[in-house]
Amino acid sequence: VRLDWLDDADRDKGFRIRFFFASNPYFSNGALQKTYHTERKNPYADRVECVRIEATSIDWMPGRNVTVEVVSKKGKSGARRRSGKKQREERREMPRASFFRTCFRNLGPNEEIPEEELDEDEDEEDFMDCLLEDDYEQALALRDYLIPHAVRWYTGEACEDEEEGSSAS
């Protein structure tokens, strides 16, 4: 995982997080990236806001897309069964919960909210703002805590100690 700024001279413009992968049977991309475009909307507040997130499109190997479940549905024609003809099977891809589905999606103005996320009663613009803000907060945690101290997290040194009451005696 690598981090770089979109503009080293003006870090308010945003940053990019790149995830590198060894050759694998699931997708052909050697790297996947997320780009966080930010702006300082108020010159008097020491705060930048994420206005758009761009993510790499994943090139899934045939039959290996872990973000969908292939569902087979057989035809309902009774006449076909009696005549001895093969039933035609309809195969549909249904969305399935996955790190890759939620992490590598574009968010911001002019982007569509995935059907499985949107509730009929919610305002699409407000919901997109919530998705954008949540994703940005996760990126800040990666950028500020995990990436700079990755080895310490891996070894457990950065993890908080468990409370005394939760350890087995």
Side-chain angles (χ1 to χ4, degrees), residues 100-113:
F100 291 99
R101 175 175 289 286
T102 56
C103 187
F104 294 99
R105 62 182 174 191
N106 296 323
L107 296 173
N110 305 321
E111 296 293 342
E112 287 189 32
I113 297 173

Side-chain angles (χ1 to χ4, degrees), residues 23-43:
S23 181
N24 66 77
Y26 295 97
F27 51 86
S28 59
N29 309 67
L32 299 175
Q33 70 181 24
K34 289 189 74 169
T35 305
Y36 293 85
H37 298 274
T38 57
E39 293 177 359
R40 183 172 301 276
K41 293 198 173 189
N42 182 344

